[in-house]
Amino acid sequence: PAIDWHKGKAVYWLLERLKLDMNNNIPVYFGDDVTDEDAFRELVDDGIGIIVGEFTYPTAASYFLKDEKEVAQFLGYLSDKYQT
């Protein structure tokens, strides 16, 4: 659509709708292609951008995981470490 909207703005819209305070929560965004770059750029100061898979272009993501298996391992690690 011809509106000023992208995945980065969608992340902040979801955080607001879910009433997640940015002082107590850190958004983590996983993406696997160039369409996720808007979200990576938006989260540079407020969250964590992680690109998954091979990429051949400059990315604003802060971290890299090679595949979905590594994503699952990473999420398992976070779950184990930060259970409430």
Side-chain angles (χ1 to χ4, degrees), residues 16-83:
E16 183 179 316
R17 288 294 217 181
L18 296 171
K19 298 181 181 355
L20 294 173
D21 179 4
M22 292 294 287
N23 293 318
N24 296 317
N25 297 281
I26 300 171
V28 179
Y29 185 94
F30 297 90
D32 63 356
D33 64 37
V34 71
T35 67
D36 297 302
E37 288 299 321
D38 289 323
F40 295 149
R41 280 190 292 276
E42 290 285 327
L43 289 174
V44 165
D45 294 327
D46 295 324
I48 299 168
I50 302 173
I51 193 161
V52 180
E54 294 184 26
F55 59 98
T56 58
Y57 50 86
T59 182
S62 301
Y63 299 95
F64 164 79
L65 294 172
K66 70 177 180 178
D67 55 28
E68 293 83 3
K69 183 178 177 183
E70 284 195 351
V71 172
Q73 291 171 336
F74 176 71
L75 292 174
Y77 167 79
L78 289 179
S79 176
D80 291 344
K81 184 150 179 80
Y82 297 102
Q83 285 185 1

